[in-house]
Amino acid sequence: MASSIFKYVFTDFLKPMLQLLLFVFPAFYAAVFSLLLVFAFVVFLGRNPPPATFVFDPQVIAIADPANASGLPFPAPPHANTSLGVGRKESPENASDLAPAAANHSTEAEKGRGGSPEKGQKASESGKDLATCDLFDGRWVFDESTPMYPPGSCPFIDSSFDCLGNGRPDQNYTKLRWQPKGCSIPRLEGKKMLRALRGKRLVFVGDSLNRNMWESLLCILRHPLKRKHRVFEASGRKEFRTDNSYAFRFEGYHPSSLLSFLVGGGFRSCASCSRTAQDYNCSIEFFRSPFLVRESSRVDSQGKSRETLRLDLIEASSDAYRTADVLVFNSGHWWTHEKTSKGYEEEHAAARRNFYQEGDHVYPQLSAEEAYRKAMRTWGTWVDTRVDSNRTRVFFRGYSWSHFSGGQWNSGGNCDGETEPITEDRHLAKYLKLTGILESVIGEMTTPVLYLNITRMTDYRKDAHPSVYRVPAGKRKPGGFQDCSHWCLPGVPDAWNELLYAMLLRELS
Ligand SMILES: *[C@@H]1O[C@H](CO)[C@@H](O)[C@H](O)[C@H]1NC(C)=O
Ligand SMILES: *[C@@H]1O[C@H](CO)[C@@H](O)[C@H](O)[C@H]1NC(C)=O
Ligand SMILES: *[C@@H]1O[C@H](CO)[C@@H](O)[C@H](O)[C@H]1NC(C)=O
Ligand SMILES: *[C@@H]1O[C@H](CO)[C@@H](O)[C@H](O)[C@H]1NC(C)=O
Ligand SMILES: *[C@@H]1O[C@H](CO)[C@@H](O)[C@H](O)[C@H]1NC(C)=O
Ligand SMILES: *[C@@H]1O[C@H](CO)[C@@H](O)[C@H](O)[C@H]1NC(C)=O
Ligand SMILES: *[C@@H]1O[C@H](CO)[C@@H](O)[C@H](O)[C@H]1NC(C)=O
Ligand SMILES: *[C@@H]1O[C@H](CO)[C@@H](O)[C@H](O)[C@H]1NC(C)=O
């Protein structure tokens, strides 16, 4: 009896107690101890937070980046000793030493253009501050460190811009960097730009040349990221030519996200915890809108439906991008015919009959230039009245040259075999009328439009179009059209994005 009671006490009471003491309690203490450790670590991190990252909002800039902290949201990028320390007054040279250097520089640059593109400039040549220099007055220089993403490495490039993939043998066209006369532009560092765009939308609106630029930016921003799968088209599309709009999400995510969430939740306001949960949370989008105004149709006297262009109405999807943080517009190629075979003479844009419409009125005939002026004014009024310029930076990218010789795009015009840029200014084209119209409309607007004046810089680059390499060798037809309008990627649009970045920095400093 006693033994059975003892056995009962032992098996049902003492033994479990012993087990509890031996196994569960140590585990419990270990757990408590490690929780304390984690807590201590979190407290430590909370007291020593990583430096507040720059945010694009003008209001937040003021908080995150007091004007006199360092003058700049980003540290000055290292750039082959030519860095000027964007927006900073400090410079390797004395200010008084800079003026003559800048003044003499232009003549040096002129000489440089006469010959072949030269190696990157010396620091002494980069005279003026980025803040005041004309970014679009410069030349192309050979630079082994370009391009910003290796050829063939980016899955977002449309096959018709993928010259290397389509068998283009030479690669020098990917190694030219744009060098303004009066300053150096900061190298576009993808991660820094993404951090600046955290929680923001950057939207390209325009024709296929803006798609060219959009794809270039996607590749530039994606290349330095480790977790490339965190960059994806919002609805999973893998082809970027046919639809009217695309949105790429750059989410980013790092292992400390959970921790920063805890830190954010525990020691800061919860606004910062939602922000830190994703690294970038930024969206880089493209809206196809080659005219910027609305494509429409009407029924003619024979009862047939005819296409028209409403010069008085902004394009229908404009509400979808009106509130973006950065807008980059373009429009040009669809208004005018391409250059003639005789050099780069501007061809008088052909009038299109019964195409342009304002209200109920269809113009029997209107020159493309007049139509362009009306459309750009419609666009300008829309920007001035519907876009909040405190929130949104509005860019317009100017006309990008085509280089068809021996015919037009659809009549045997070609540019294959061009492997070097134009080096002599006298071979450049006359200024284009459309550009003058655009510049005057922008000048009349109340919104400060940031004008990417790339017309001349593209004129040099007859070497950088896809030409026959718009299609893979196997699918090429003899006598097929060449593409001397768009640009191979990597290539010229990368430089436009560098200038876009430089202008954004300039805006923010
Ligand atoms: C920052 O600049 C303001 C005026 O712009 C000045 O009053 C203030 O003393 C400066 N602070 C520092 C730390 O330089
Ligand atoms: C850049 O500057 C560093 C230090 O100031 C120097 O060692 C280096 O040689 C310079 N490089 C060039 C290309 O001038
Ligand atoms: C800058 O100017 C000061 C005096 O004006 C001079 O002593 C110094 O050598 C100059 N620095 C350079 C890099 O020219
Ligand atoms: C720059 O030009 C001025 C005249 O415009 C000349 O006196 C000076 O020697 C030049 N400096 C250099 C470094 O060429
Ligand atoms: C590429 O450019 C470099 C530097 O200008 C030049 O030395 C080289 O010959 C060029 N290569 C080709 C294939 O044109
Ligand atoms: C991401 O950014 C959008 C604005 O573009 C914002 O509405 C959203 O709350 C952000 N999400 C996170 C998780 O930060
Ligand atoms: C933009 O900011 C200015 C100055 O801060 C202010 O006066 C103006 O009302 C703002 N405009 C809008 C549309 O919020
Ligand atoms: C754009 O650049 C061209 C030449 O590069 C220049 O003539 C024109 O004045 C510039 N336009 C503006 C608005 O700065």
Side-chain angles (χ1 to χ4, degrees):
M1 184 68 186
S3 78
S4 84
I5 286 174
F6 180 77
K7 195 179 167 197
Y8 172 76
V9 167
F10 181 77
T11 54
D12 287 353
F13 184 70
L14 278 181
K15 196 175 161 198
M17 274 296 266
L18 213 62
Q19 280 170 340
L20 195 70
L21 279 171
L22 277 177
F23 299 109
V24 181
F25 269 62
F28 175 71
Y29 285 124
V32 166
F33 185 65
S34 27
L35 265 180
L36 276 175
L37 264 184
V38 167
F39 187 71
F41 183 55
V42 163
V43 167
F44 168 78
L45 268 193
R47 296 230 169 126
N48 304 278
T53 327
F54 168 71
V55 186
F56 198 73
D57 244 301
Q59 283 180 340
V60 187
I61 292 169
I63 301 160
D65 179 55
N68 42 11
S70 74
L72 223 223
F74 316 119
H79 197 238
N81 286 3
T82 53
S83 168
L84 282 173
V86 189
R88 275 186 228 195
K89 290 289 164 271
E90 68 192 58
S91 148
E93 294 153 291
N94 284 341
S96 55
D97 296 329
L98 291 180
N104 287 7
H105 172 67
S106 59
T107 51
E108 282 169 39
E110 231 79 88
K111 271 184 253 152
R113 275 215 201 99
S116 58
E118 286 163 11
K119 299 245 172 201
Q121 288 175 299
K122 292 190 202 88
S124 65
E125 283 186 37
S126 54
K128 277 183 272 169
D129 215 30
L130 180 70
T132 53
C133 110
D134 180 357
L135 297 175
F136 306 99
D137 185 13
R139 64 197 167 117
W140 292 95
V141 296
F142 194 79
D143 184 345
E144 280 291 350
S145 68
T146 34
M148 285 175 273
Y149 46 95
S153 70
C154 182
F156 309 145
I157 294 178
D158 199 292
S159 74
S160 59
F161 307 146
D162 181 15
C163 300
L164 182 89
N166 294 334
R168 181 166 175 168
D170 57 313
Q171 281 198 28
N172 265 9
Y173 71 92
T174 66
K175 295 189 179 133
L176 293 176
R177 178 171 58 79
W178 180 250
Q179 175 64 60
K181 273 184 198 168
C183 58
S184 287
I185 40 184
R187 189 151 177 94
L188 200 174
E189 286 179 62
K191 287 185 183 176
K192 280 185 186 165
M193 183 159 181
L194 281 173
R195 281 198 290 271
L197 292 170
R198 171 178 290 167
K200 308 290 174 203
R201 287 175 73 198
L202 189 160
V203 180
F204 291 91
V205 185
D207 59 24
S208 53
L209 277 138
N210 249 16
R211 187 160 55 80
N212 218 180
M213 183 178 180
W214 169 70
E215 290 179 12
S216 150
L217 186 60
L218 294 178
C219 296
I220 292 171
L221 295 181
R222 173 186 180 271
H223 177 64
L225 301 182
K226 278 209 196 77
R227 290 179 172 73
K228 295 192 166 45
H229 65 280
R230 302 289 292 170
V231 181
F232 51 87
E233 208 284 321
S235 34
R237 286 166 289 183
K238 305 260 189 247
E239 173 285 327
F240 312 114
R241 212 190 318 185
T242 48
D243 286 353
N244 283 331
S245 72
Y246 296 92
F248 261 91
R249 305 265 323 134
F250 283 74
E251 298 210 325
Y253 186 85
H254 55 76
S256 64
S257 285
L258 179 63
L259 192 60
S260 43
F261 179 83
L262 285 174
V263 174
F267 295 93
R268 298 185 209 152
S269 76
C270 236
S272 74
C273 63
S274 71
R275 206 179 331 120
T276 46
Q278 275 183 2
D279 255 1
Y280 304 124
N281 182 30
C282 123
S283 178
I284 311 283
E285 307 174 27
F286 171 69
F287 282 76
R288 181 184 173 279
S289 176
F291 295 105
L292 300 181
V293 290
R294 191 170 303 179
E295 291 170 77
S296 176
S297 65
R298 64 180 181 97
V299 178
D300 72 2
S301 51
Q302 279 115 47
K304 275 191 187 160
S305 175
R306 300 269 179 206
E307 279 186 3
T308 62
L309 190 65
R310 288 293 300 264
L311 299 175
D312 55 338
L313 293 178
I314 191 75
E315 196 255 330
S317 57
S318 54
D319 267 341
Y321 49 77
R322 193 172 61 83
T323 56
D325 302 278
V326 182
L327 284 168
V328 184
F329 292 95
N330 95 299
S331 185
H333 283 251
W334 285 56
W335 297 89
T336 174
H337 287 236
E338 301 301 351
K339 310 292 93 53
T340 59
S341 52
K342 298 186 201 98
Y344 300 101
E345 202 181 326
E346 180 191 344
E347 189 191 23
H348 188 73
R352 297 179 71 173
R353 287 172 192 281
N354 298 322
F355 179 58
Y356 301 116
Q357 180 177 1
E358 266 184 313
D360 287 337
H361 179 64
V362 177
Y363 290 89
Q365 199 166 4
L366 188 68
S367 76
E369 282 145 19
E370 242 349 272
Y372 185 68
R373 188 189 310 276
K374 286 173 186 290
M376 288 303 106
R377 287 211 172 116
T378 300
W379 168 82
T381 308
W382 175 81
V383 169
D384 282 346
T385 55
R386 303 282 291 145
V387 176
D388 175 1
S389 60
N390 287 351
R391 175 197 168 103
T392 304
R393 302 295 202 291
V394 179
F395 285 82
F396 200 103
R397 180 182 58 69
Y399 191 83
S400 152
W401 278 110
S402 302
H403 296 91
F404 291 98
S405 63
Q408 293 181 30
W409 69 271
N410 53 1
S411 59
N414 65 76
C415 54
D416 59 332
E418 296 284 2
T419 55
E420 293 200 345
I422 295 175
T423 51
E424 290 185 49
D425 284 7
R426 65 192 164 88
H427 292 150
L428 294 181
K430 267 195 316 187
Y431 211 50
L432 195 73
K433 245 186 219 156
L434 288 193
T435 301
I437 295 169
L438 172 71
E439 290 178 359
S440 78
V441 170
I442 287 177
E444 289 161 11
M445 290 169 63
T446 55
T447 306
V449 173
L450 298 157
Y451 178 41
L452 285 161
N453 188 3
I454 51 96
T455 306
R456 188 184 172 99
M457 82 185 262
T458 56
D459 200 355
Y460 292 109
R461 295 304 305 276
K462 63 178 167 52
D463 60 316
H465 296 289
S467 68
V468 297
Y469 304 106
R470 60 187 274 267
V471 281
K475 294 187 187 162
R476 228 170 275 155
K477 298 192 192 86
F481 296 155
Q482 292 198 13
D483 184 352
C484 307
S485 291
H486 299 101
W487 306 95
C488 295
L489 291 181
V492 170
D494 303 341
W496 303 347
N497 281 314
E498 267 188 319
L499 293 169
L500 173 76
Y501 178 66
M503 285 174 83
L504 275 175
L505 288 184
R506 193 147 89 169
E507 275 296 289
L508 303 171
S509 62

